[in-house]
Amino acid sequence: VFDTFHNIFTGMFQPGEISATTAEIHKIDPNFDLTLFSATLRLEIVPNVLEAYLRSDIEILENWCQERALGQFKHMLAAREFSGTINLIDIGECDILSGCMLELGPVFMFNVATQQHFVKTEKVAAVEGGSEAAEIVEDSIKTVNYMIAVCRDQSMLDPKAAWTVLEIVEHVVGDYV
């Protein structure tokens, strides 16, 4: 799925599309800087979106996502095999792979690697007069890659609030070593 998503999107883009997309954004936001935008992705957008996803917080995801991406998150939540707690530990650099102009506005596609802490606990019966305790059954750190497409709403003047997730694909690589 990850490779299919990448192939579809990169097939839509031609070399130089990042600069053409950036030029379109400059028409309404002359201060737009791709390096600062990449930092905004890493420090603000990606953490908000992924933490809401990991907590299964659909209400927050509705604020950050287009309808298609929201459907993808709901599908990923329904298909999630892990039933414990997942915490976001680290977010790598957001590598912008391509860009294009759609009817919705400018779109950038980027790849980001994260490290996530997976903890599964089970309740253990109380011993005479004691309270229930939790026993850790599984405790691991996994690398999880995401390919994400974000779209800018050209009608919004606040550059940070104007970006929403258009598409997302998740790929669990395995235990972090």
Side-chain angles (χ1 to χ4, degrees), residues 52-97:
Y53 162 60
L54 295 176
R55 288 189 319 267
S56 302
D57 191 334
I58 299 298
E59 187 176 327
I60 298 283
L61 290 173
E62 287 173 344
N63 294 325
W64 281 100
C65 298
Q66 300 270 337
E67 189 175 322
R68 181 178 174 107
L70 186 60
Q72 290 170 319
F73 275 118
K74 288 178 179 178
H75 176 75
M76 290 183 331
L77 286 169
R80 187 184 286 167
E81 294 177 8
F82 188 79
S83 61
T85 303
I86 307 171
N87 295 305
L88 191 58
I89 297 174
D90 186 44
I91 299 170
E93 294 300 318
C94 294
D95 300 320
I96 297 176
L97 304 173

Side-chain angles (χ1 to χ4, degrees), residues 39-167:
T40 299
L41 286 170
R42 182 175 186 264
L43 299 173
E44 295 178 35
I45 296 172
V46 171
N48 282 314
V49 170
L50 292 184
E51 286 175 2
Y53 162 60
L54 295 176
R55 288 189 319 267
S56 302
D57 191 334
I58 299 298
E59 187 176 327
I60 298 283
L61 290 173
E62 287 173 344
N63 294 325
W64 281 100
C65 298
Q66 300 270 337
E67 189 175 322
R68 181 178 174 107
L70 186 60
Q72 290 170 319
F73 275 118
K74 288 178 179 178
H75 176 75
M76 290 183 331
L77 286 169
R80 187 184 286 167
E81 294 177 8
F82 188 79
S83 61
T85 303
I86 307 171
N87 295 305
L88 191 58
I89 297 174
D90 186 44
I91 299 170
E93 294 300 318
C94 294
D95 300 320
I96 297 176
L97 304 173
S98 52
C100 75
M101 289 299 298
L102 298 178
E103 283 183 36
L104 295 169
V107 174
F108 285 114
M109 186 179 75
F110 65 95
N111 189 10
V112 62
T114 66
Q115 277 72 51
Q116 298 175 10
H117 186 207
F118 289 68
V119 179
K120 185 173 183 178
T121 57
E122 290 182 0
K123 297 207 184 242
V124 178
V127 180
E128 285 188 45
S131 61
E132 263 186 6
E135 178 183 345
I136 295 177
V137 176
E138 182 180 337
D139 184 5
S140 62
I141 296 175
K142 296 183 185 294
T143 299
V144 183
N145 291 332
Y146 294 91
M147 186 163 297
I148 304 172
V150 291
C151 181
R152 189 186 197 290
D153 182 343
Q154 297 285 68
S155 66
M156 293 187 76
L157 298 179
D158 180 358
K160 290 187 179 181
W163 291 95
T164 56
V165 176
L166 185 63
E167 297 266 348

